[in-house]
Structures are given as C-alpha cells and as structure tokens.
Amino acid sequence: MTILVVGATGATGRLAVEELLARGHYVRVIVRSPDKLPEVLRNHDRLSVIRASVLDLSDTEMAQHLNGCSAVASCLGHELNLKGIYGHPRRLVTDAARRLCNAIKANKSEKPIKFVLMNTAGNSNRDLHEPISFGQRFVIGLLRLLLPPHVDNEKAADYLRTNIGENDSAIEWSVVRPDTLTNETKVTGYDVHPSPTRSALFNPGVTSRINVAHFIADLVTDDDTWNKWKGQMPVIYNKASS
Ligand SMILES: NC(=O)c1ccc[n+]([C@@H]2O[C@H](COP(=O)([O-])OP(=O)(O)OC[C@H]3O[C@@H](n4cnc5c(N)ncnc54)[C@H](OP(=O)(O)O)[C@@H]3O)[C@@H](O)[C@H]2O)c1
C-alpha cells in the first residue's frame, strides 16, 4: 500500500510514518520542513518527501500527490504558541481535510480511499449523542471562544461526519480521538471505545502517541480494524487509564 501522511513532522505523525514503513508499506509525506524528519526516515527508500505547506498546494498538485495512495492519515495540529493558536491558518486541520477529500474525489479511484483524522477525546461524536456533564459543556463552550484549534478539531470531524458521511463512494473515514497525549518509546496495551469512558476535562485519561500511531497503522492496513471503526470516532486510551 501507499499511504499519504500529513503532519508527518509532528510528534505523532512521525511515529505513524515509522510504523507504516516498519510494516513494509510505501509512505508519502507533505511537510514544510523535511529536516525535522529523523534522518532514518528521511533516507528511507520507501518514503517520498514532498516539501510544501499542505494548504499552499494547488488542487492539481494535491490530486497528483494523492494519486496511487489507498489511504491518507492526518496528524496535523496547531503549533502551541500564540501564532499557531490565534494566527492563520485558523482552520488548518479542517481545510486540509476538505482539500484532501476534494483531491481524492477528483482522482476518481476505483476503490474508496481511507481517511484517518487524528482528533481529540475532548470532541464529541454528535451522531451518538454522547452524554456530557453540564460543567464539561460549559468549559467546552469557553474553549470554543478562547481556543481556535479546538473549534478546528471539531469542524474537521464534523466535515467528515456530515459532508462526507457514511455512504460516499470515494472516501471512507475514521476519526481517532486520543486523550492526553504522552511520549513513550514502545507500543503498550491500549483500549479503543466508540465513545469516551471518562471526562476529557475533569478526569482525563492518557494515550501515548506511539499507541495512536500503532492504531492509525492498524486502521489503514488491517481490513478487520477498518471495518470495525470506519464512519466512527474511536476513542483510544492506554490500558492503565481505560
Ligand atoms: N496535546 C494533547 O494532549 C492532545 C490530546 C488529544 C489530541 N490532540 C490533537 O492531536 C493532534 C496532533 O498532536 P501532536 O502533538 O502529534 O502534534 P504536533 O507535534 O504539534 O504536530 C503538528 C503537525 O502539524 C503541522 N503543522 C502545524 N501548523 C501547520 C501549518 N500552518 N501548515 C502546515 N502544517 C502545519 C506541523 O508541521 P511543522 O513540523 O512544520 O510545524 C506538524 O507536522 C493535534 O490536532 C491535537 O489537537 C492533542
């Protein structure tokens, strides 16, 4: 398989690239700064590096880079500084998802392309009417006002859920929702649930980035995992924190 990864220089994205390469797949990445990729990845013979800011690509370029890919993984996220949080692009994750999906449609692949979006347990799957306490609803309302990246994550998931939906002939999707991200060096046990089993705000769980990368790789490469979670927003926790 060939998989396109955006956000590949990020803390989770690079682990997803590493995991996919380790499983023997071909990976393409669109990155602003190839130097940020570890050397072992940069020089890997199954990795193609496209140097560009994902939202600066033309529609034609985007479609060309997607040509031949059977899956896309987005691990994009705003830089955690003033410019990243309050500057442009305000809708990095949503606009990238929309542009990538438009390019997938333009390519008219014979089989649906898988789209995996890295999101957050702080976002709800509104298809499932997930129960949220009054306190959490209040704080999420504040986050929407104060933290544009949170709104971006919500809108990106909503785009896949409502604009692409579950019966699109070109795109199938899954929105992965980790809780508080941590850095570990090895994959450990993790549990995946259709909805949060704890409050992301008042009783957060822990999800190591390497476990997220492993689950993303399972989703795009393993049909059973895909069929179980496509069209859903799986929440992933490290086993100890489930
Ligand atoms: N922190 C948490 O506890 C937590 C919990 C749950 C979910 N999340 C979500 O998980 C996602 C990924 O997290 P992470 O920590 O792995 O991310 P990260 O290390 O911050 O990586 C973000 C990626 O996005 C790219 N990016 C940022 N701004 C960009 C722009 N303007 N144009 C193009 N690319 C841009 C970065 O590229 P450069 O390397 O070029 O900057 C990098 O590859 C985020 O959406 C976050 O909201 C976070």
Side-chain angles (χ1 to χ4, degrees):
M1 285 178 78
T2 302
I3 300 116
L4 179 78
V5 180
V6 293
T9 47
T12 313
R14 71 183 65 174
L15 296 170
V17 171
E18 214 172 286
E19 181 66 26
L20 290 163
L21 290 171
R23 294 184 189 202
H25 300 287
Y26 288 80
V27 179
R28 274 178 216 166
V29 296
I30 300 172
V31 293
R32 302 189 286 187
S33 315
D35 291 353
K36 282 194 182 176
L37 290 168
E39 202 175 329
V40 54
L41 292 187
R42 237 183 302 143
N43 298 330
H44 200 289
D45 58 359
R46 277 184 278 108
L47 183 76
S48 312
V49 179
I50 298 141
R51 184 188 199 128
S53 186
V54 64
L55 294 181
D56 289 347
L57 292 169
S58 70
D59 291 347
T60 312
E61 286 169 328
M62 191 81 103
Q64 274 167 0
H65 296 318
L66 272 160
N67 197 19
C69 292
S70 40
V72 179
S74 169
C75 298
L76 289 167
H78 294 254
E79 284 181 272
L80 294 180
N81 54 36
L82 271 182
K83 185 175 179 297
I85 294 174
Y86 296 106
H88 290 284
R90 282 253 170 140
R91 298 282 180 264
L92 167 70
V93 183
T94 309
D95 289 347
R98 183 182 298 111
R99 300 269 328 273
L100 287 160
C101 286
N102 286 345
I104 290 171
K105 285 176 187 255
N107 278 350
K108 298 188 191 314
S109 162
E110 276 170 24
K111 276 180 71 179
I113 306 301
K114 296 173 179 172
F115 193 110
V116 178
L117 174 73
M118 182 171 175
N119 207 248
T120 166
N123 185 19
S124 302
N125 181 348
R126 277 166 279 280
D127 279 341
L128 299 183
H129 307 290
E130 292 172 342
I132 303 175
S133 69
F134 175 76
Q136 179 149 340
R137 194 167 306 143
F138 178 75
V139 177
I140 294 278
L142 281 181
L143 292 182
R144 284 191 189 120
L145 289 174
L146 300 174
L147 276 186
H150 182 73
V151 180
D152 189 19
N153 273 336
E154 288 187 329
K155 285 189 179 298
D158 281 352
Y159 169 75
L160 293 174
R161 205 173 46 75
T162 60
N163 290 65
I164 302 299
E166 289 185 35
N167 299 308
D168 195 279
S169 58
I171 300 161
E172 294 177 345
W173 54 269
S174 181
V175 174
V176 174
R177 292 186 284 171
D179 212 330
T180 307
L181 290 170
T182 60
N183 295 319
E184 305 295 337
T185 51
K186 286 199 166 62
V187 176
T188 57
Y190 58 85
D191 293 315
V192 184
H193 304 270
S195 294
T197 58
R198 50 198 303 159
S199 162
L201 289 177
F202 303 123
N203 178 27
V206 169
T207 315
S208 56
R209 288 183 169 93
I210 200 162
N211 284 349
V212 178
H214 187 270
F215 181 51
I216 289 175
D218 271 1
L219 281 168
V220 296
T221 63
D222 178 64
D223 283 344
D224 289 343
T225 308
W226 185 254
N227 289 330
K228 182 164 180 194
W229 294 112
K230 71 178 176 185
Q232 297 195 59
M233 295 176 55
V235 181
I236 168 171
Y237 301 109
N238 288 0
K239 260 210 185 305
S241 99
S242 271

